[in-house]
Amino acid sequence: MKTITTTQDLAAFCAEAAKHPYVTVDTEFLRERTYYSKLCLIQLAYAGDGNDDAVLVDPLVDGLDLTPLYDLFEDAGVVKVFHAARQDLEIFFVDRGIIPAPLFDTQVAAMVCGFGEQAGYEALVRKIAKGSVDKSSRFTDWSRRPLTDAQKSYALADVTHLRVIYEYLSAELDKSGRKKWVAEEMAVLNDPATYQVDPDNAWKRVKTRTSSGRFLAIVRELARFREDLAQTRNIPRNRVFKDDALVEIASTKPQSEKDLGRSRLLLREARKGDIAEGILAAVKAGLEVKPEDMPRVENSREKLQVNPALADMLRVLAKSKADTEGVAQKLIATSADLDAIAGGIRDVQALRGWRKEVFGADALRLCNGEIGLAVKGEKVITFAL
């Protein structure tokens, strides 16, 4: 179990990895006490089963420069393989503005290959690699040093088993001709916007029960202040104040620290000092927003006039297509997408790309009364009307 602690050794490993068609990658990180993830360990492996083809990289060592790794990430001749890649990719994007390419996510590929909607790593190790994962180090504080052999073994297994999983799934996709499906799914992960949190849009994540423009204007200003502060201080946004406190403040519209002191939900440290000043300034800014500049909630799917019978038929169709194609139903169409289609919305993922070929085209025909559904044996089939 080799641990790389110098830039020279990292460069040597990456140079060797660049000679191979793929490299598997995983990370260990902490995020409980920070806004941005703290990278604690990087695991890498390339094709093979020798002593030097899988390593741990310790990014906490002083003087270690990750540039050789980032150069490898930008090498178009080497596929970068992750499992459930989003959080790993966010770390690298925040650190260096780089998204590894070409990219392959085995979680997505497993859903395309029929391993169900919850294609967890442990399940894939068991079903494909015929191995097991030691769970004893799952809740490790990866920032503490030295790491034990058990911790190192646990971490390294995340990339050694991943080689077998990748090779199997890649071969299955070649057989089925569905690599382009996975490539479409990678579009979101390849988009820098996926990892950029714009404080101006932070309010859209806050769940509220009213569409009042004035109320939402205050929510927007409070969410913007909170996001800016959390990013600047690198603390979790809930350490500033939680969503329920934000909604309470937007409702009560406090004008002074004394008013803030009456809040039932606001943390004590947020009732005075910089945070209190920011809250009061945000409330004031929200109250001063002109009517034409107030935020508006987009047409909520919850308010759609959904034909329940049509929605049920779309669910049956989606289940039938998923069974026929051997693909996780959730990957073809979410429940929210099906309700949206039944409510007349056409700008949904289920009606684009490979999903349209597999499901979307027939879904639209069903909505338009061009086809019906029937049961034949154990299968659901479509027929022209």
Side-chain angles (χ1 to χ4, degrees), residues 309-321:
L310 178 57
D312 287 343
M313 293 179 71
L314 286 169
R315 283 173 169 75
V316 172
L317 178 64
K319 177 68 166 58
S320 172
K321 297 292 186 180

Side-chain angles (χ1 to χ4, degrees), residues 83-282:
H83 181 82
R86 193 190 184 289
Q87 291 190 80
D88 300 314
L89 299 179
E90 181 181 17
I91 292 172
F92 297 127
F93 182 81
V94 169
D95 183 53
R96 195 65 66 92
I98 288 175
I99 299 174
L103 180 66
F104 189 99
D105 190 323
T106 55
Q107 185 178 59
V108 174
M111 288 192 287
V112 170
C113 290
F115 282 86
E117 296 180 4
Q118 302 297 327
Y121 183 69
E122 290 178 28
L124 297 182
V125 169
R126 185 173 62 254
K127 294 177 181 179
I128 297 177
K130 308 303 179 185
S132 60
V133 176
D134 180 4
K135 301 178 182 179
S136 61
S137 297
R138 174 174 293 178
F139 300 109
T140 286
D141 180 350
W142 293 100
S143 67
R144 299 187 65 178
R145 295 294 185 271
L147 296 174
T148 66
D149 286 346
Q151 290 171 324
K152 292 178 181 180
S153 295
Y154 171 89
L156 210 56
D158 283 344
V159 288
T160 53
H161 290 313
L162 195 55
R163 295 180 296 195
V164 179
I165 293 169
Y166 165 69
E167 291 177 3
Y168 175 87
L169 293 175
S170 182
E172 288 297 300
L173 292 170
D174 282 334
K175 292 178 187 176
S176 64
R178 292 179 179 175
K179 274 199 168 177
K180 66 176 184 179
W181 292 17
V182 176
E184 281 187 37
E185 298 308 297
M186 293 300 99
V188 173
L189 294 176
N190 286 320
D191 184 356
T194 300
Y195 314 104
Q196 296 169 331
V197 179
D198 183 357
D200 289 341
N201 292 321
W203 69 276
K204 296 179 180 178
R205 294 195 307 269
V206 180
K207 294 181 179 180
T208 64
R209 296 183 177 181
T210 176
S211 58
S212 162
R214 182 62 62 194
F215 173 82
L216 292 177
I218 301 174
V219 167
R220 181 177 64 186
E221 298 303 322
L222 287 167
R224 177 191 288 137
F225 162 70
R226 181 178 66 173
E227 206 72 26
D228 275 330
L229 188 68
Q231 290 180 358
T232 301
R233 296 187 180 180
N234 194 23
I235 59 175
R237 62 178 65 90
N238 284 346
R239 286 272 300 277
V240 183
F241 48 81
K242 297 181 179 180
D243 281 3
D244 55 359
L246 187 155
V247 173
E248 179 192 46
I249 294 166
S251 299
T252 58
K253 306 176 185 63
Q255 305 296 306
S256 65
E257 288 190 13
K258 184 177 180 180
D259 292 340
L260 288 178
R262 300 189 184 100
S263 170
R264 297 177 299 107
L265 302 172
L266 199 60
L267 298 173
R268 181 176 300 175
E269 53 267 32
R271 301 180 186 185
K272 57 185 178 179
D274 294 344
I275 297 179
E277 290 177 7
I279 290 173
L280 295 175

Side-chain angles (χ1 to χ4, degrees), residues 320-338:
S320 172
K321 297 292 186 180
D323 291 344
T324 300
E325 299 292 339
V327 181
Q329 182 179 337
K330 178 182 176 181
L331 193 63
I332 291 179
T334 65
S335 180
D337 281 348
L338 296 174

Side-chain angles (χ1 to χ4, degrees), residues 290-305:
K290 297 178 181 178
E292 61 269 25
D293 295 329
M294 291 178 184
R296 292 176 176 79
V297 178
E298 297 177 3
N299 291 332
S300 174
R301 291 186 178 183
E302 295 178 0
K303 297 180 180 179
L304 288 176
Q305 297 299 314

